[in-house]
Amino acid sequence: MLRLAGARLLDERDGQAVRAVLTADPVASCMVASRIETVGLDPWRLGGEVWGCDLRGLRPVTRLEALCFAGPNLIPLRGKRSALRAFAERALRRRRMCSSMVGPAEQVLGLWAELESDWGPAREIRDDQPLMAISGAPIVTPDPLVRPVRPDELDRYLPAAIAMFIEEVGIDPRVGDGGSGYRARVAELIAGGRAFARFEGGDVVFKAEIGALSSAVGQIQGVWVHPDRRGHGLGSAGTAAVVQRLVDGMGRTASLYVNSYNTAARAAYRRIGFEQVGQYATVLF
């Protein structure tokens, strides 16, 4: 019987097999695909490593039985129990560098079961996050006042981004380095035309970003409405505007994932036309 080899570092020689995994589920793989499509599999350019498991004796590799990205986030995309154990063994050989684990729930929770005794306790485990997608026009009328944020508007946009991060993640992104790293990340999204907002009187009342953008899918993140303006449809109409930009303007499927307990957000996304296509989970450190 052929058995899985241990987890190994993948490189460009494995590119065809890696891309086969990514294209098999483009919505679930968007975060990893967006990086690999841009810079390839070289760890220095990628900002992380791509690990894989394959069947011993099959060379050249044509099929990967398991795949995991290890960078700022640990993202297992495919793998049964033996493969997840191999990924855990590789992860435990070095100091933990990631701030979270995120991805398909079965893989994330299975990998966490292997790592928890060494890496735990987690700050929070979000074990049920519906992964949603829409490939056509939004049902809700897009807000015409939502537009890409300009680079000169960074200082006006940043307070809303920080407020969103604190609400969503539970920590202040300015802790540690005074916010320089987070500011640089937000500036990068703005420069790439991937941050969107509605401004009123100089203030942001709605914001959202395209956090990951592959050749097939754009993943929306950081949806936020000013507390004084919630309950008036700004979130639905604003998100619909970003969906319209992705689907009509960029030719991508729009996706996002949301906590299952956030019933208001889930209802808003369904009104827009999103449908659940999978389940994510996140482990926060």
Side-chain angles (χ1 to χ4, degrees), residues 2-10 14 17-18 51-67 82-83 86-87:
L2 293 174
R3 297 181 180 276
L4 283 179
R8 64 181 180 86
L9 177 64
L10 303 180
D14 307 296
V18 170
W51 303 338
C53 293
D54 47 61
L55 293 172
R56 197 184 307 275
L58 294 182
R59 294 293 186 275
V61 175
T62 58
R63 173 180 169 83
L64 288 166
E65 300 298 319
L67 189 71
S82 59
F87 289 149

Side-chain angles (χ1 to χ4, degrees), residues 143-155:
D143 185 345
L145 298 180
V146 170
R147 59 171 176 80
V149 180
R150 300 189 306 265
D152 65 299
E153 295 174 316
L154 172 61
D155 288 330

Side-chain angles (χ1 to χ4, degrees), residues 14 41 47 74-75 78 96 101 107 121 137 155 175 177 205-206 208-209 222-223 229 274:
D14 307 296
L41 290 166
L74 190 61
I75 308 175
R78 174 186 287 183
R96 178 177 65 80
M101 294 172 52
Q107 279 70 47
D155 288 330
V175 171
D177 64 357
V205 296
F206 167 84
E209 297 146 3
V223 178
R229 300 299 305 278
F274 280 93

Side-chain angles (χ1 to χ4, degrees), residues 105-232:
E106 183 178 3
Q107 279 70 47
V108 167
L109 299 176
L111 183 54
W112 178 239
E114 300 291 337
L115 291 170
E116 183 175 11
S117 60
D118 292 273
W119 282 10
R123 182 167 60 83
E124 185 179 354
I125 299 175
R126 301 176 180 180
D127 59 359
D128 185 5
Q129 297 177 303
L131 179 65
M132 310 181 80
I134 177 173
S135 299
I139 299 172
V140 171
T141 301
D143 185 345
L145 298 180
V146 170
R147 59 171 176 80
V149 180
R150 300 189 306 265
D152 65 299
E153 295 174 316
L154 172 61
D155 288 330
R156 294 168 60 194
Y157 181 81
L158 191 60
I162 292 170
M164 175 282 303
F165 194 97
I166 293 172
E167 286 186 32
E168 175 63 25
V169 182
I171 59 174
D172 191 324
R174 296 167 294 186
V175 171
D177 64 357
S180 60
Y182 187 67
R183 180 186 178 91
R185 171 57 177 160
V186 172
E188 179 184 15
L189 289 170
I190 292 174
R194 289 161 52 184
F196 300 83
R198 172 172 172 158
F199 291 89
E200 291 184 359
D203 295 324
V204 174
V205 296
F206 167 84
K207 67 163 288 293
E209 297 146 3
I210 302 171
L213 185 67
S214 72
S215 60
V217 180
Q219 189 175 86
I220 299 171
Q221 67 175 30
V223 178
W224 180 87
V225 176
H226 192 286
D228 294 343
R229 300 299 305 278
R230 293 174 184 175
H232 299 287

